[in-house]
Amino acid sequence: MYLIRQVAAADATERGRASLNDYYSAKGEAPGTWMGRGLAALGKPVSRDAADPLVAELWGVPYGSQVTEDQMKALFGEGLHPNADRITHHLTGFGLAKAGAIAAARLGRPFAINDKENRFVTRLREAYRDYNSTVGNDPQARLSPDIRARIRTALGREMFAETYARPPADDRELSGFIASHSRAATTAVAGYDLTFTPVKSVSTLWAIAPAPIARLIEDCHHQAVAETLEFLEENAAFSRMGAHGVA
């Protein structure tokens, strides 16, 4: 939602060159554009004829085209093809069931969502409420760090015994148990947000330079970003495939 509000909403770009004051006070971001070698594969669905002009129009995402809010939601929010809305609307119009239409727009396995309840955290909240009720406080009252630590340790010792049918051997074993059971459940990562920022002297020169020079500086920056992304594609960005990501 941050990306959608700050980037996809985008300030208007037809206002002409910004003033130096605008450079320091303007909010929002320029519209995003699609780039990267993966774009070529988006226009080639496995189950359809990629030479069909309609297929190219529905599945294709042209290099340099502007990123829309719907595309951003589909890709980063659901792991679907950026044009998922258009693809599913088109296929359901031909009588394909909604599930099948969504499957046609899927890029891989759905994002993994871990909705398992963390028993330690749940019971810890209950223990905090029970303590507050016992001493006559509001159930949601904030406890001092010392009280919270004592309750957490006591609960950890109790749950360790429940799990292993013995008390912890020492403080280290107990603290390790508590730490491992306090971690938030892991969830899928939809993407990585990289920020490309030239040094301030370059940004300032761009802001005060005559329009032709400012455009040249901007072109250089865009070229640097493109070259960096190409390096990342070649050396850093990898995907797992196969059962349980074996490859």
Side-chain angles (χ1 to χ4, degrees):
M1 290 309 298
Y2 158 75
L3 288 172
I4 290 169
R5 287 194 301 266
Q6 300 297 323
V7 181
D11 286 349
T13 57
E14 66 278 358
R15 297 174 302 174
R17 185 165 159 267
S19 68
L20 183 58
N21 181 65
D22 288 336
Y23 168 73
Y24 286 108
S25 64
K27 297 180 180 179
E29 300 286 348
T33 56
W34 288 106
M35 55 199 306
R37 66 182 62 172
L39 292 176
L42 293 179
K44 299 177 181 178
V46 175
S47 59
R48 292 180 63 89
D49 180 8
D52 184 341
L54 180 59
V55 170
E57 179 186 350
L58 284 174
W59 269 267
V61 178
Y63 188 98
S65 60
Q66 185 170 320
V67 181
T68 68
E69 181 176 340
D70 287 341
Q71 287 178 323
M72 200 175 272
K73 285 181 178 178
L75 181 61
F76 295 115
E78 301 178 83
L80 299 176
H81 189 292
N83 299 342
D85 284 353
R86 293 172 54 199
I87 292 171
T88 54
H89 178 76
H90 173 75
L91 294 179
T92 52
F94 280 100
L96 190 64
K98 185 176 181 180
I102 293 177
R106 193 167 294 288
L107 298 180
R109 283 195 294 268
F111 289 141
I113 298 175
N114 191 338
D115 56 359
K116 291 183 179 178
E117 184 180 44
N118 186 317
R119 289 182 57 248
F120 180 79
V121 174
T122 300
R123 288 178 60 174
L124 190 58
R125 292 198 196 100
E126 294 172 351
Y128 290 158
R129 288 196 295 267
D130 291 344
Y131 176 86
N132 276 323
S133 299
T134 300
V135 299
N137 292 337
D138 182 281
Q140 303 301 323
R142 186 173 183 80
L143 301 176
S144 69
D146 179 61
I147 296 297
R148 292 166 66 91
R150 286 163 53 189
I151 294 175
R152 185 167 56 248
T153 299
L155 177 62
R157 196 178 301 277
E158 178 183 331
M159 289 188 64
F160 186 99
E162 292 174 0
T163 304
Y164 299 107
R166 65 171 177 84
D170 50 33
D171 290 343
R172 181 177 181 180
E173 188 173 48
L174 175 60
S175 62
F177 178 85
I178 293 174
S180 66
H181 285 73
S182 299
R183 298 190 190 106
T186 56
T187 56
V189 176
Y192 292 90
D193 183 6
L194 308 178
T195 302
F196 300 92
T197 308
V199 295
K200 187 58 67 178
S201 57
V202 173
S203 302
T204 304
L205 177 60
W206 168 83
I208 64 176
I213 297 178
R215 282 195 294 270
L216 182 61
I217 294 171
E218 198 166 336
D219 289 343
C220 289
H221 174 69
H222 290 156
Q223 181 179 341
V225 171
E227 290 178 0
T228 303
L229 287 176
E230 288 177 4
F231 176 85
L232 294 175
E233 287 178 327
E234 189 67 35
N235 298 283
F238 300 97
S239 296
R240 303 190 71 87
M241 62 187 298
H244 303 295
V246 66

